[in-house]
Amino acid sequence: MLWRSSFLTAVVPLCFASPIFPRWDDLEVKHAWSSVPRNWISVGLPPNGTTIDLRIALKPHREDALVGALYEVSDPAHEKYGAHLSKEEVATLVAPHPDTVELVHAWLGHHGVPASSIRPSYNGGWLTITSLPASQADALLGASYQVYRHTETDETLLRTVEYSLPVDLHAHVALVAPTTYFGGPRALHRTSRLTPTAKHLLAGALDDPPESPTTVSSSCAGMIVPSCLQALYNTGSYTPTATDQNTLGITGYLQENASQADLTLFLSKLMPDAATADFTVVSVAGGTNDQNNPTLEASLDIQYAESLAFPTPTIFYTTGGSPPFQADENTPANTNEPYLDWLDFILAQSDIPQTISTSYGDDEQTVPPDYAQTVCSLFAQLGAQGVSVLFSSGDTGVGDDCVSNDGLNTPMFLPNFPATCPYITAVGGTTGVNPETAAGLSSGGFSNYFARPSYQDTAVSNFISGLGTQFSGLYNASGRGFPDISAQAENFIIVIGQEPFLAEGTSCAAPTVSAIVSLLNDYLISQGKSPLGFLNPLLYSTGAAGLNDITSGSNPGCNTDGFSAVEGWDPVTGLGTPDFGKLQAIVG
């Protein structure tokens, strides 16, 4: 099967012959916003002595080699299916040409950047410069770094609204960060929210939950507990056995804290056989996990991942570098990039969980295209190594604040990133039982940055044909469609601070599907087979028969009814919800 590049931007041939006399003062804009992103205001230049850590993404020698290899090992019809790459093999595929490295080092040397402050990262495809004076970063990038404050959250960032590179470097450098990625009030936002419900009713549900993991109780229509999901998605009769090899990873940002005491109470009430479960905490970039301050997102993710995948070992990655940010005289603003901090860490590891769930995202248009494309390629590195990476699709239907941010205010649906990255699996939301229907909050649509990947050509084309001219001009019909799959996303009982709450959002769906994928990986590993890795080529081919098609409901937004769930793929529930038993038979 042939696969095509997933970026809308044209592939620029790399010119590897270094210019004999490069002109470092001949600058060309790499990315610029038309104005300061909405809700951000400049509060002035950073104080003298302010430093910043810069990351420079170098373009690989063979630009399509990584994606080509990813699809080979992920396509069930390919002879290399399941033959995932080692960390070293991936590093070879993403390695820049020696001319690129030489030219970039010459540029840095011209601007007085000491070699001792430069280190390679991300399998050698990036250079990280530590403690660079902000004034020197300005000169290096033709930029104007300033301290920006968000008018609603008071978060501060050290950013520039524009940066440039010498013309001779554009064919060699994919991205410099942090530069123009501001994020916003929903940057890495939690895709779940508490529902006002009388706590005494929830307490009663905790004390008298549905017992059968094989029969869907009528109570599941209004309140979800782990046994509801086991019955809905046919996992109740499976017990993991490859627990010495298979691991499930959960990522956390925004100072989210997962409580072991809350997990124990949750499981003792709802899954007593799993009440001994615990999780490992791994700190990334100064991330913490305060046991005295449990929070919604981490509680939801850990409690449902653990309950469905038990006794599979679970790792909670807590990543720092996100608001609230405490300034000091040398670091007046947040200069970190949480996605990049976590990816830098995880790609350096020799042992990575086979399944990783993330419940955060941004409006795609708030993420600079070069940033989105380069970060997406890093997720492709994980997929090539046999890691299934899943993201919640978001909770805003087809969007809110539905205009472009390019100064033209063009009406448009707003897709979410990283859900639009073609190398991850995006998880939408459903609600109700017998039958399940689309949850109105389930974000879905079409990317404006990434072209439709070939693995979903048929499925997405069928949907667009049926849509006709409805919503014409509000979405990109040639873009990557999302979500890919879905699961329950409303009325989840969770425990926070030893008290019960109800939660909703595709943050409920992502750990649910991730746990089911982890069970599939456990089964494969127990049979001496490779884990699933990047899921989408499987889901859009033979795996579709293992999904429950959702054919009713919609995802309203932007003053419209949104897209409708239909037979086959749709941008509300994707291909449907998982049936573990059927998928087990398909992959086994």
Side-chain angles (χ1 to χ4, degrees), residues 275-535:
T276 58
D278 59 9
F279 56 94
T280 302
V281 177
V282 173
S283 174
V284 179
T288 60
N289 190 44
D290 184 356
Q291 293 298 285
N292 295 317
N293 183 30
T295 54
L296 167 61
E297 187 63 65
S299 300
L300 170 60
D301 290 347
I302 284 293
Q303 288 167 24
Y304 278 87
E306 288 269 13
S307 62
L308 297 176
F310 179 80
T312 301
T314 301
I315 299 175
F316 178 60
Y317 296 96
T318 171
T319 302
S322 51
F325 186 83
Q326 300 300 319
D328 60 37
E329 61 182 7
N330 293 319
T331 312
N334 180 4
T335 63
N336 295 329
E337 303 266 15
Y339 285 141
L340 289 180
D341 288 336
W342 181 79
L343 284 162
D344 190 14
F345 172 85
I346 202 70
L347 286 169
Q349 305 306 302
S350 56
D351 189 12
I352 302 173
Q354 290 86 351
T355 312
I356 296 175
S357 178
T358 302
S359 295
Y360 303 81
D362 303 340
D363 284 346
E364 186 184 65
Q365 68 170 355
T366 69
V367 182
D370 56 352
Y371 183 96
Q373 292 167 359
T374 307
V375 168
C376 186
S377 293
L378 295 175
F379 290 126
Q381 291 190 33
L382 288 172
Q385 294 180 66
V387 180
S388 300
V389 181
L390 297 96
F391 274 83
S392 54
S393 71
D395 295 348
T396 55
V398 291
D400 56 6
D401 298 325
C402 302
V403 295
S404 64
N405 63 350
D406 57 3
L408 300 178
N409 292 325
T410 304
M412 60 185 293
F413 291 164
L414 296 181
N416 293 326
F417 177 83
T420 55
C421 171
Y423 313 130
I424 61 91
T425 299
V427 185
T430 61
T431 189
V433 298
N434 298 322
E436 287 185 90
T437 63
L441 56 77
S442 182
S443 288
F446 302 87
S447 174
N448 292 311
Y449 287 177
F450 300 98
R452 183 193 309 153
S454 321
Y455 60 72
Q456 62 173 197
D457 256 344
T458 299
V460 174
S461 295
N462 288 342
F463 175 83
I464 290 177
S465 295
L467 192 63
T469 59
Q470 187 179 19
F471 306 135
S472 179
L474 293 177
Y475 72 97
N476 174 30
S478 64
R480 184 269 206 260
F482 78 105
D484 303 298
I485 193 171
S486 54
Q488 289 282 312
E490 295 184 350
N491 303 316
F492 274 49
I493 289 186
I494 61 174
V495 173
I496 307 175
Q498 300 290 284
E499 294 189 34
F501 292 90
L502 279 186
E504 64 180 4
T506 52
S507 284
C508 301
T512 296
V513 174
S514 297
I516 294 168
V517 171
S518 185
L519 294 180
L520 291 169
N521 280 332
D522 177 274
Y523 170 70
L524 289 171
I525 292 170
S526 71
Q527 301 298 307
K529 298 179 180 180
S530 299
L532 292 170
F534 177 44
L535 298 169

Side-chain angles (χ1 to χ4, degrees), residues 153-172:
T153 66
D154 281 334
E155 175 191 356
T156 57
L157 294 172
L158 184 60
R159 293 293 188 270
T160 177
V161 295
E162 176 180 313
Y163 80 102
S164 300
L165 292 172
V167 171
D168 292 331
L169 285 184
H170 276 254
H172 299 267

